[in-house]
Amino acid sequence: MADRSETDTVTTLSTDPEHPAQGSTTPVVTGTGTRPAIIADATASHGAGSPVPVQTRNERFASTDVSAFPPVTGREAGWKLTPVDALQGLIAGELDGGRYELGIETTEGAEVTWVGRDDARIGTAGIPEDRAAANAWSSFQEALLVRLTGEEPSSTTLIRSAFGPTARGAHTIVDAKAFSRGVVVLDNRGSAQLAENVEILVGDGADVTVVTVQDWADEAKHVANHFAQVGRDAHLKHVVVSFGGGVVRVNPSVTLAGSGADGDLLGVYFADAAQHLESQVFLFHEADHTKGRVEYRGALQGEGAHTVWIGDVLIGPDATGTDSYEQNRNLVLTDGTRADSVPNLEIETGDIAGAGHASATGRFDDEQLFYLQARGIPEEVARRLVVRGFLSSIVQKIGVPALEVRLQDAIEAELAGEAR
Amino acid sequence: MSTLAIRDLHVSIETDQGTKPILRGVDLTINEGETHAVMGPNGSGKSTLAYTIAGHPRYNVDSGSITLDGEDVLAMSVDERARAGLFLAMQYPVEIPGVTVSNFLRTAKTAIDGKSPAIRGWVKDVRQSMDNLRMDSAFAERNVNEGFSGGEKKRHEILQLELLKPRFAVLDETDSGLDVDALKIVSEGVNRAKDATGLGVLLITHYTRILRYIKPDFVHVFVAGRVAEEGGPELADRLEDEGYDRYVSAAAAAS
Ligand SMILES: Nc1ncnc2c1ncn2[C@@H]1O[C@H](COP(=O)(O)OP(=O)(O)OP(=O)(O)O)[C@@H](O)[C@H]1O
Ligand SMILES: [Mg+2]
């Protein structure tokens, strides 16, 4: 498995003349096999000369109480790439934590109910590490519970299109019983001012896919934290799809808690002019023989399109035999965009099967364009063909055919520059 | 009768060291149905000629002309040239992740013809051409050139040649990296296209080997950015025996 490990570069590519300093490239070394652990914190080289103390990723302050967090200024490590002014209503404002209207489509083997704050599952997958998540947690009155019990694959779609202009705090739990199988889709559309937490409990041997689709209206603001615990020999596929919305930040934290647990963390995003789409991904290999794959891809087009991807992978001291790989690729289609891409890998055991990461932000490749044009394909058509191909490789991995079709259509609409 | 005419073509590229002239007055006329072999040593400018005909933006035409039946090719965009009937089989075909061969071929055919091909006939044509080139049908669902071996990439270029039916094809070292079986298969493909459509061919090669299978009507020796000598097929035999040394030293002495 030596080929899983590589030396790569962290690149923050900006085509925004206002941020000329963002062109830097930082080499990062990743560790493997029996070599000593290497801690590579790419963010350390981004500050202007001030070394960032190396803090293990799972030692961050966490609380469910919003008042335990100081006000957010935008200088904090977790917020410095986010337009916090636009989100202060969700970070510090009052949130309506009551039930909201939603459409539920579900098949046998899954059930959806509301449960009270005293439900024993609440807080077992993880607790907030930032103020917006804590604000949502402090506000919600009831949690929406999706319970997966069937060993035959079930399918649940939560159509959330009626949030409206009210600032809201929400809580969702996906509780997958041992050996259950199912797909849960959070299908987000329309207007929203939403801060939420989603807890995902994947029981031993279960096989679960959770997809959150952000297909919001233009002005929507959405801050979500997903926390997942994946049990012994269980598999979680977690997918973040962000196309629509003004400021969207969906941060998944997945803990591979049981031996042999397997996590696929996928993301696909397409940022248009003035859109901010962000995902801070944390994958924690806690148990031995866990396997993790993180792959996020995004395209950017239009003035002020901004994407942020931070991928933290932590291989804990007990996680022997771990196999981990994370990557982020961005395709820049026009001037005036900015893609931040920061992979971090911490390895606390010397005995792993492999670990590596890659990050690349590139312009649409002129040689690809030439090849296609040389076959008679006009530039615009060629461009769409390539972007579609670039993003499809993630979409194809989702494994939910109806959703794949819908997302391919959404990509087409983005490419056609339609207002969403 | 269709004619591709290149007149006194001067081409340069921008490098870190400044402007570098590469083609220094190329004249070539290719009529429909003719096969012209362009042979020359590494770095003599063969690919530059090929890319310039296709319209790659890296190459600047400083003077001279390229016309197709009198139409100014240099005024056309890359895709317009292809739609006008020019085809370049590349020396190093580009990988296009996420775009399947079948999708790519259909998109190209639609662009070239100005309408989508009738589905049943098209699927049959693709299958037939792939069979002819001994390409497994699984290639249709793979991404364009991704993970293809050198020989597979070349077959894929000739597959496009057969399906897109251009009037003139520039084949840039289509023979390089092919074993003798693959060379025969690829040559048969080119010959089929010639028979079917009266294709004019500009066959760029370093070696005479491919000329055993694709018979040239004319041979041009290309050295230091211009045609140093031209003749019939017999010139290729002489190059086979003598190599390029004579021309290269003459060019060096002249500059
Ligand atoms: N992008 C480039 N940057 C710098 N030099 C270049 C570039 N492209 C071509 N050249 C130079 O132009 C000259 C001609 O190159 P060209 O590729 O046309 O040669 P060729 O005859 O096709 O060679 P080969 O037989 O190796 O394929 C060479 O000296 C080459 O180094
Ligand atoms: Mg060449």
Side-chain angles (χ1 to χ4, degrees):
Chain A
M1 292 300 288
D3 60 340
R4 277 274 165 234
S5 184
E6 60 180 61
T7 299
D8 212 314
T9 55
V10 181
T11 308
T12 304
L13 185 142
S14 174
T15 54
D16 181 352
E18 300 279 296
H19 297 87
Q22 291 294 333
S24 63
T25 296
T26 312
V28 171
V29 181
T30 67
T32 186
T34 51
R35 277 192 243 139
I38 295 168
I39 295 181
D41 184 348
T43 54
S45 59
H46 282 248
S50 61
V52 175
V54 176
Q55 177 201 37
T56 297
R57 179 61 180 81
N58 63 345
E59 288 171 353
R60 287 193 189 166
F61 175 75
S63 170
T64 57
D65 177 10
V66 63
S67 59
F69 289 85
V72 172
T73 62
R75 287 187 296 273
E76 301 79 1
W79 289 105
K80 67 180 180 183
L81 297 170
T82 313
V84 292
D85 291 348
L87 295 178
Q88 283 300 356
L90 297 175
I91 296 169
E94 195 162 317
L95 304 176
D96 177 346
R99 286 189 188 187
Y100 53 89
E101 216 180 286
L102 81 164
I104 301 171
E105 292 169 359
T106 192
T107 63
E108 205 178 318
E111 57 190 42
V112 182
T113 52
W114 290 95
V115 296
R117 283 185 69 93
D118 55 354
D119 189 278
R121 284 165 285 222
I122 289 172
T124 55
I127 58 172
E129 291 179 347
D130 72 50
R131 201 172 199 274
N135 199 21
W137 202 295
S138 298
S139 309
F140 80 91
Q141 289 159 18
E142 287 175 290
L144 189 68
L145 170 69
V146 181
R147 209 156 170 261
L148 305 185
T149 52
E151 293 190 14
E152 293 300 319
S154 67
S155 164
T156 303
T157 302
L158 306 178
I159 300 158
R160 308 197 302 174
S161 56
F163 285 114
T166 313
R168 292 178 186 273
H171 199 100
T172 306
I173 308 166
V174 176
D175 178 20
K177 222 181 88 166
F179 302 108
S180 65
R181 297 178 66 187
V183 176
V184 178
V185 179
L186 304 177
D187 189 347
N188 299 313
R189 315 174 190 211
S191 343
Q193 308 284 320
L194 176 66
E196 65 166 337
N197 294 292
V198 176
E199 295 190 68
I200 303 165
L201 299 161
V202 185
D204 293 351
D207 185 356
V208 175
T209 298
V210 174
V211 186
T212 177
V213 181
Q214 286 62 244
D215 205 359
W216 300 116
D218 284 347
E219 77 293 348
K221 297 186 176 77
H222 182 205
V223 184
N225 284 269
H226 288 213
F227 305 96
Q229 292 281 330
V230 186
R232 186 183 177 94
D233 296 325
H235 174 231
L236 171 66
K237 187 187 288 182
H238 184 271
V239 190
V240 177
V241 179
S242 296
F243 288 151
V247 180
V248 175
R249 171 170 140 138
V250 178
N251 295 354
S253 288
V254 174
T255 300
L256 300 175
S259 294
D262 186 352
D264 284 307
L265 279 59
L266 303 172
V268 58
Y269 45 89
F270 195 126
D272 290 317
Q275 250 187 325
H276 176 95
L277 304 178
E278 174 169 352
S279 274
Q280 298 190 17
V281 183
F282 175 35
L283 176 63
F284 177 27
H285 291 267
E286 186 179 35
D288 60 296
H289 295 93
T290 51
K291 180 178 168 196
R293 291 289 179 271
V294 180
E295 187 176 1
Y296 274 62
R297 285 189 179 214
L300 298 88
Q301 90 182 351
E303 195 61 38
H306 185 194
T307 64
V308 175
W309 178 84
I310 299 175
D312 295 332
V313 172
L314 170 61
I315 299 175
D318 302 326
T320 54
T322 298
D323 176 4
S324 190
Y325 194 78
E326 65 163 346
Q327 60 170 317
N328 173 229
R329 309 232 172 257
N330 294 299
L331 185 58
V332 172
L333 301 173
T334 65
D335 287 340
T337 69
R338 176 173 163 181
D340 289 294
S341 179
V342 188
N344 300 306
L345 177 60
E346 288 178 74
I347 303 172
E348 295 180 322
T349 171
D351 179 20
I352 60 171
H357 64 172
S359 158
T361 295
R363 291 220 143 227
F364 180 59
D365 183 341
D366 290 339
E367 294 304 321
Q368 295 180 356
L369 181 61
F370 173 73
Y371 188 80
L372 295 167
Q373 281 190 275
R375 300 303 180 243
I377 301 171
E379 177 168 351
E380 250 333 283
V381 180
R383 196 176 282 278
R384 286 187 202 185
L385 197 64
V386 168
V387 177
R388 199 189 289 137
F390 176 78
L391 297 179
S392 293
S393 68
I394 299 287
V395 174
Q396 283 163 6
K397 288 183 183 156
I398 297 175
V400 184
L403 187 61
E404 289 178 16
V405 170
R406 152 128 189 261
L407 296 180
Q408 297 289 12
D409 291 348
I411 292 171
E412 292 304 317
E414 290 286 340
L415 283 165
E418 284 172 22
R420 299 187 63 73
Chain B
M1 160 117 87
S2 252
T3 304
L4 178 66
I6 299 167
R7 292 285 170 271
D8 196 25
L9 190 68
H10 287 73
V11 172
S12 60
I13 57 166
E14 298 304 324
T15 70
D16 295 342
Q17 288 77 42
T19 304
K20 177 176 176 180
I22 304 179
L23 300 188
R24 301 187 292 173
V26 177
D27 288 285
L28 270 178
T29 302
I30 306 168
N31 292 311
E32 181 182 320
E34 291 177 357
T35 297
H36 293 244
V38 168
M39 306 190 60
N42 292 130
S44 55
K46 304 183 299 294
S47 291
T48 301
L49 176 63
Y51 276 125
T52 304
I53 295 170
H56 195 292
R58 193 193 302 131
Y59 300 90
N60 303 319
V61 176
D62 299 319
S63 61
S65 68
I66 304 177
T67 56
L68 177 61
D69 298 335
E71 296 279 337
D72 182 3
V73 170
L74 295 176
M76 300 178 195
S77 65
V78 176
D79 48 304
E80 283 168 352
R81 295 178 198 208
R83 293 199 295 275
L86 298 178
F87 181 89
L88 167 61
M90 294 188 204
Q91 183 172 4
Y92 303 109
V94 183
E95 297 188 1
I96 308 189
V99 179
T100 62
V101 167
S102 87
N103 186 10
F104 164 66
L105 292 174
R106 193 167 10 83
T107 307
K109 185 67 176 170
T110 303
I112 298 264
D113 289 1
K115 60 175 183 354
S116 357
I119 188 79
R120 204 169 293 163
W122 172 247
V123 169
K124 199 170 127 263
D125 289 352
V126 173
R127 196 175 303 137
Q128 181 66 52
S129 297
M130 289 181 73
D131 271 0
N132 290 341
L133 291 163
R134 317 279 197 285
M135 290 178 76
D136 192 285
S137 58
F139 275 94
E141 293 317 313
R142 286 177 59 179
N143 292 331
V144 173
N145 293 320
E146 202 177 61
F148 287 22
S149 72
E152 288 163 352
K153 284 183 183 167
K154 297 302 173 74
R155 286 182 212 211
H156 179 232
E157 294 293 285
I158 301 307
L159 176 68
Q160 296 165 54
L161 172 70
E162 285 205 55
L163 291 168
L164 300 180
K165 303 191 185 344
R167 283 194 281 163
F168 290 94
V170 180
L171 310 181
D172 190 2
E173 302 212 17
T174 297
D175 52 337
S176 64
L178 297 182
D179 61 31
V180 77
D181 293 331
L183 183 64
K184 279 187 203 163
I185 290 165
V186 159
S187 302
E188 281 165 20
V190 175
N191 290 329
R192 264 195 309 277
K194 282 174 60 174
D195 293 343
T197 61
L199 178 72
V201 177
L202 185 66
L203 182 70
I204 293 174
T205 180
H206 194 83
Y207 306 104
T208 54
R209 196 172 64 130
I210 193 172
L211 304 181
R212 276 181 240 153
Y213 307 103
I214 304 175
K215 294 284 177 217
D217 303 298
F218 303 93
V219 175
H220 312 264
V221 184
F222 213 67
V223 180
R226 56 164 74 97
V227 177
E229 185 169 1
E230 24 197 15
E234 72 289 346
L235 183 52
D237 299 332
R238 232 173 78 205
L239 286 171
E240 170 96 63
D241 299 336
E242 299 173 9
Y244 299 112
D245 287 355
R246 192 160 55 89
Y247 302 104
V248 175
S249 42
S255 64

